[in-house]
């Protein structure tokens, strides 16, 4: 079975500081990897995805993530955060072989940006 | 692109009542998903439609739950004889037909509260 673990439930950080949100996955088959952001009382918005190719992927709002196959990780980073980045962040996978494309999510990480 | 629309946004009901939620996907999207998100957790997959066919159901989807997508357009999720444990955010997502790497677009969800 596949699983996704987000290693930090909450990450407090000051505005303009760098941040890293950690994600590890477990799967016996190849997966696609995604990061989504959820603002209060809203649905999820795609930040970025890794499908193949370069292991460093860039997304919206200045976020980037690096796929590390040997460590089965897909950590999300931003060099300088803004107050508006305060939100819940979810890492997710879907299986290469899936006919449905259903997503398996981690538990989420709350990013709290302080002024 | 008008996005994925879900109605109602909030539903409060007494235990034992039936409830129905509606999802209108992005018009050209063939794939439609329902997820459930409880407080402090990531979304969990419930069911998947490709056009009007329901192709996968999670074991989370008990006999009290039923979903439909007549004519391959909007979808409804009905919960019969609601229980306290059904309180959650119900999220709908849609994506284009293709491989499992197609990004899913989420609605803002329906928050269900059982009294």
């Amino acid at each position: 079975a596949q699983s996704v673990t987000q290693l930090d439930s909450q990450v407090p950080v000051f505005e303009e500081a760098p941040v890293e949100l950690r994600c590890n996955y477990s799967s016996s088959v190849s997966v696609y990897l995604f990061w989504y952001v959820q603002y209060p009382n809203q649905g999820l918005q795609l930040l970025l995805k890794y499908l193949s190719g370069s292991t460093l992927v860039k997304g919206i709002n200045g976020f980037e993530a690096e796929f590390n196959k040997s460590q089965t990780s897909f950590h999300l980073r931003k060099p300088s955060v803004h107050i508006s980045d305060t939100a819940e962040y979810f890492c997710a996978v879907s299986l290469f072989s899936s006919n449905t494309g259903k997503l398996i999510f981690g538990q989420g990480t709350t990013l709290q940006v302080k002024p | 692109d008008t996005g994925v629309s879900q109605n109602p946004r909030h539903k409060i009901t007494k235990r034992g009542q039936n409830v129905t939620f509606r999802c209108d996907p992005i018009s050209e999207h063939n794939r439609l998903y329902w997820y459930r998100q409880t407080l402090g957790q990531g979304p969990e997959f419930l069911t998947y439609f490709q056009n009007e066919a329901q192709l996968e159901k999670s074991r989370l989807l008990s006999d009290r739950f039923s979903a439909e997508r007549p004519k391959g357009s909007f979808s409804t999720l009905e919960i019969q004889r609601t229980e306290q444990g059904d309180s959650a955010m119900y999220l709908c997502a849609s994506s284009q037909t293709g491989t499992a790497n197609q990004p899913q677009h989420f609605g803002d969800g329906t928050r269900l509260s059982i009294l």
Side-chain angles (χ1 to χ4, degrees), chain A:
Chain A
Q2 294 72 38
S3 66
V4 177
T5 302
Q6 292 184 240
L7 298 161
D8 307 291
S9 59
Q10 294 189 353
V11 173
V13 64
F14 286 104
E15 194 174 16
E16 298 183 6
V19 70
E20 178 179 79
L21 306 184
R22 297 180 294 167
C23 172
N24 284 90
Y25 68 93
S26 173
S27 176
S28 57
V29 298
S30 297
V31 297
Y32 299 112
L33 295 147
F34 304 83
W35 274 98
Y36 282 86
V37 60
Q38 185 176 34
Y39 299 102
N41 298 314
Q42 293 186 22
L44 282 73
Q45 180 182 3
L46 181 69
L47 277 177
L48 49 79
K49 61 183 185 286
Y50 174 76
L51 307 180
S52 64
S54 173
T55 57
L56 182 65
V57 292
K58 295 188 183 299
I60 62 170
N61 301 340
F63 284 93
E64 64 181 30
E66 185 153 23
F67 170 55
N68 187 318
K69 188 173 182 178
S70 62
Q71 297 189 359
T72 60
S73 68
F74 190 53
H75 301 333
L76 181 71
R77 293 191 284 261
K78 186 170 183 177
S80 175
V81 295
H82 192 267
I83 293 286
S84 60
D85 292 323
T86 295
E88 190 81 12
Y89 291 79
F90 293 97
C91 181
V93 303
S94 68
L95 305 184
F96 267 24
S97 58
S98 171
N99 292 324
T100 69
K102 68 181 179 184
L103 293 168
I104 301 163
F105 286 89
Q107 308 92 314
T109 297
T110 302
L111 177 62
Q112 301 163 323
V113 181
K114 304 176 183 179

Side-chain angles (χ1 to χ4, degrees), chain B:
Chain B
D1 180 355
T2 57
V4 177
S5 176
Q6 290 190 248
N7 288 289
R9 291 295 311 279
H10 304 276
K11 180 71 176 178
I12 301 173
T13 192
K14 293 182 180 179
R15 184 167 52 94
Q17 298 295 304
N18 299 344
V19 293
T20 301
F21 312 139
R22 176 179 171 125
C23 171
D24 288 272
I26 294 171
S27 58
E28 64 268 24
H29 286 184
N30 302 86
R31 295 175 177 237
L32 187 145
Y33 306 82
W34 286 98
Y35 293 86
R36 181 172 69 187
Q37 184 179 21
T38 53
L39 206 59
Q41 299 297 316
E44 295 174 293
F45 170 78
L46 291 179
T47 191
Y48 162 72
F49 289 86
Q50 183 157 331
N51 298 312
E52 67 276 9
Q54 186 175 21
L55 297 183
E56 185 170 346
K57 293 194 290 187
S58 163
R59 281 175 289 183
L60 292 175
L61 215 63
S62 75
D63 291 346
R64 296 184 298 105
F65 287 71
S66 63
E68 295 182 341
R69 191 182 182 196
K71 301 179 184 179
S73 56
F74 70 93
S75 176
T76 58
L77 178 66
E78 180 182 16
I79 309 175
Q80 296 182 326
R81 304 181 303 282
T82 53
E83 301 174 355
Q84 292 281 354
D86 296 331
S87 294
M89 174 80 90
Y90 290 84
L91 293 164
C92 177
S94 69
S95 70
Q96 293 180 331
T97 300
T99 58
N101 62 11
Q102 294 297 322
Q104 294 179 26
H105 299 257
F106 284 79
D108 286 339
T110 294
R111 183 170 296 284
L112 174 64
S113 299
I114 307 297
L115 300 177

